Amino acid sequence: MVKILLVEDDVIIQELVTYNLQREGYTVIIAEEGNCALQLLSKEKPDLVLLDVMLPELDGLEVCKKIRGNQETASLPIIMLSARDEVADRVIGLELGADDYVTKPFSPRELLARIKARLREEKRNSTPQPTSITWGDLEIWPESYMVTVKGEYVTLTGKEFDLLHIFMKRPNQVFSREYLLQKVWGYTISGDTRTVDVHISNLRSKLKSISPIIESVRGVGYRLAINYSKSKDF
C-alpha cells in the first residue's frame, strides 16, 4: 500500500487531504512540524511527502533541504504546499529539490492528479533498466539512481536524475521544455516551463566539473553538449 507523509500544521487541511487520499486507498501519516517529519521519514519510509512551507520550528524549505541532503531519501518525491504563489517562492522550493509546488487553496482533485503522476513516474523508474550508461566522464546507473563524474559520486534529486537519464538515453536529440515537463513531471502545466529551467540550472551546477554537459538550443530546448564527448555506450 502506498504511504504518504503529510507535513501540515493546519488541522482543516490535514482532514481535507487525509480524507481524499484515504478514499483513493493511500495510507496517510501526519506530522505537524518539521523535526517530527524528519523522524517519521526513517521510521515509516513513505513513498511521497506532501510538505507545507510554513511550519513551526523547522520550516518546509529546511525540511526539503535535509531530505535531499540525506542519501537514503534524496530521491523521495516531494510536493510542496504553500499559501504563497510568488514566482520567487516557487523557484526557491524547486531549487532546494522539490518535485512539485501546489499553492493554497488547492483543488483536492488537482492534488490527487499530481500525486498520481509522481507515483506513476516512480513506478516507471523502478522497472529493470540497463546497468549503466556512460557519456565521457559521466556515468549513471538508472536502477539505483547513482551518478559518478570521473569516478566520484554526485548526489542528484529524483527529478534531476530523471532529466539527465533522458538526455543520456538519446544524447544526440534536442528536447523541448514542454516535452521534458511532461516526461519528468508526468503532466503539462501550461506556460510553466520555468520548472524545467530551474532543474537544468541545478543539474549544470552539480556537474560543473565537466561543464558544459547540457547546452541550450535557442528556440528549441536542451541537449547533451555535442562537443563534450561521444558516449561509449551508443
Side-chain angles (χ1 to χ4, degrees), residues 51-54 80-85 89 101-105:
L51 180 60
D52 185 29
V53 173
M54 302 300 292
M80 302 203 79
L81 309 175
S82 176
R84 303 180 63 175
D85 192 25
D89 296 317
Y101 192 104
V102 179
T103 55
K104 302 175 184 177

Side-chain angles (χ1 to χ4, degrees), residues 11-78:
V11 176
I12 295 177
I13 295 179
Q14 284 179 14
E15 294 176 350
L16 174 66
V17 173
T18 299
Y19 170 77
N20 283 278
L21 292 182
Q22 289 180 340
R23 191 170 63 173
E24 293 292 318
Y26 299 131
T27 296
V28 181
I29 306 149
I30 296 176
E32 295 189 346
E33 54 90 17
N35 289 313
C36 177
L38 294 173
Q39 293 174 8
L40 287 173
L41 278 176
S42 58
K43 179 182 177 181
E44 300 290 345
K45 301 189 183 307
D47 299 286
L48 182 144
V49 178
L50 293 176
L51 180 60
D52 185 29
V53 173
M54 302 300 292
L55 293 170
E57 297 185 29
L58 192 67
D59 68 31
L61 296 176
E62 283 299 317
V63 173
C64 181
K65 189 175 179 180
K66 289 181 179 295
I67 292 174
R68 291 295 179 240
N70 185 330
Q71 189 172 1
E72 294 182 359
T73 58
S75 62
L76 182 65
I78 300 174

Side-chain angles (χ1 to χ4, degrees), residues 21-193:
L21 292 182
Q22 289 180 340
R23 191 170 63 173
E24 293 292 318
Y26 299 131
T27 296
V28 181
I29 306 149
I30 296 176
E32 295 189 346
E33 54 90 17
N35 289 313
C36 177
L38 294 173
Q39 293 174 8
L40 287 173
L41 278 176
S42 58
K43 179 182 177 181
E44 300 290 345
K45 301 189 183 307
D47 299 286
L48 182 144
V49 178
L50 293 176
L51 180 60
D52 185 29
V53 173
M54 302 300 292
L55 293 170
E57 297 185 29
L58 192 67
D59 68 31
L61 296 176
E62 283 299 317
V63 173
C64 181
K65 189 175 179 180
K66 289 181 179 295
I67 292 174
R68 291 295 179 240
N70 185 330
Q71 189 172 1
E72 294 182 359
T73 58
S75 62
L76 182 65
I78 300 174
I79 298 177
M80 302 203 79
L81 309 175
S82 176
R84 303 180 63 175
D85 192 25
E86 297 294 327
V87 172
D89 296 317
R90 294 168 65 90
V91 169
I92 290 173
L94 294 171
E95 286 180 337
L96 289 176
D99 297 295
D100 203 351
Y101 192 104
V102 179
T103 55
K104 302 175 184 177
F106 51 79
S107 159
R109 183 177 178 183
E110 179 188 4
L111 181 61
L112 280 169
R114 296 191 182 208
I115 289 171
K116 289 178 179 179
R118 283 303 311 131
L119 293 174
R120 282 196 302 270
E121 188 64 27
E122 291 301 308
K123 186 176 181 180
R124 285 197 294 269
N125 290 335
S126 67
T127 58
Q129 300 180 51
T131 303
S132 69
I133 303 173
T134 304
W135 180 256
D137 294 322
L138 177 64
E139 188 168 9
I140 70 171
W141 285 261
E143 190 172 350
S144 57
Y145 270 63
M146 289 171 49
V147 179
T148 62
V149 174
K150 301 178 182 178
E152 298 292 328
Y153 286 102
V154 178
T155 300
L156 301 182
T157 68
K159 284 291 189 298
E160 291 163 359
F161 187 94
D162 291 342
L163 284 168
L164 183 59
H165 188 201
I166 287 175
F167 290 127
M168 291 187 68
K169 283 192 298 183
R170 288 180 278 175
N172 297 314
Q173 182 169 336
V174 179
F175 298 95
S176 70
R177 291 173 174 82
E178 290 76 14
Y179 176 88
L180 294 172
L181 190 65
Q182 184 176 23
K183 284 296 181 181
V184 175
W185 279 262
Y187 58 89
T188 301
I189 313 174
S190 179
D192 197 12
T193 55

